[in-house]
Amino acid sequence: MAIEGIDVSRYQENIKWDTVARSNVQFAMLRAGFGQNNQDETFRTNARACNRLGIPCGAYWFSYAYTTDMARQEARYCLEMVRNFRMDYPIVFDFERASIDYAVRNGVNVTRRLATDMVKEFCDEVRNAGYQPMYYSNRDFIINVFYPEELTSYYLWYALYRNTLDREGV
């Protein structure tokens, strides 16, 4: 049985949370920020609304890390953002193609080893703070960017771009 959730950031602008609370939506994943302490300006408003209305929520940090130290620091930024809110869902490391492109522009080739180690650094920092860690990925990244067999102690938020799960491979 699938559960329905929404992914919310400043790009969704003003959410009508009372309407969301009356809908089939069962949880919300809120972008807390990105990169080196760039806070999502809607996070606090969205987290307050979710907490007030009893909508379970988690948070994610869009990563622009290209070292393990940067990934750990991004986790700390995210933890600082969520500390005053109830987080019923995991805290997520969101590393995508734009993350890799940023690293390349800064002279860093993101290898599978580096990408996997950054997930571990972020997620371990989150776990050590008492939250449930998770990482965001898709089929391409699981096959080509990460060593998924090293990430089994963390939940995976799997980006599914179709209505059915491709059973080949992942």
Side-chain angles (χ1 to χ4, degrees), residues 33-142:
F34 57 96
Q36 296 301 300
N37 207 20
N38 298 291
Q39 301 170 7
D40 187 305
E41 58 265 24
T42 64
F43 174 76
R44 286 184 178 91
T45 298
N46 292 332
R48 270 193 297 276
C50 286
N51 285 182
R52 178 177 53 83
L53 293 166
I55 300 168
C57 64
Y60 65 96
W61 196 268
F62 190 93
S63 180
Y64 285 108
Y66 51 83
T67 69
T68 54
D69 287 339
M70 290 172 75
R72 187 179 322 103
Q73 187 57 50
E74 287 182 346
R76 290 175 182 158
Y77 295 139
C78 189
L79 291 165
E80 181 61 27
M81 290 292 290
V82 305
R83 71 180 172 92
N84 293 320
F85 301 101
R86 187 181 68 251
M87 292 285 122
D88 306 296
Y89 275 68
I91 307 299
V92 182
F93 181 67
D94 184 2
F95 191 79
E96 300 185 36
R97 183 61 53 196
S99 310
I100 291 174
D101 294 344
Y102 181 79
V104 168
R105 285 193 306 274
N106 283 277
V108 176
N109 176 36
V110 178
T111 64
R112 289 180 82 170
R113 174 79 282 133
L114 176 57
T116 301
D117 288 348
M118 288 191 300
V119 171
K120 291 177 181 179
E121 286 293 327
F122 184 100
C123 288
D124 287 347
E125 191 74 18
V126 166
R127 179 175 285 145
N128 291 340
Y131 294 92
Q132 183 62 55
M134 178 182 271
Y135 71 104
Y136 176 90
S137 193
N138 57 46
R139 180 182 168 90
D140 173 49
F141 272 46
I142 289 173

Side-chain angles (χ1 to χ4, degrees), residues 154-166:
Y154 314 114
Y155 286 117
L156 166 63
W157 174 358
Y158 185 78
L160 185 60
Y161 303 115
R162 296 188 308 276
N163 290 335
T164 59
L165 182 62
D166 181 353

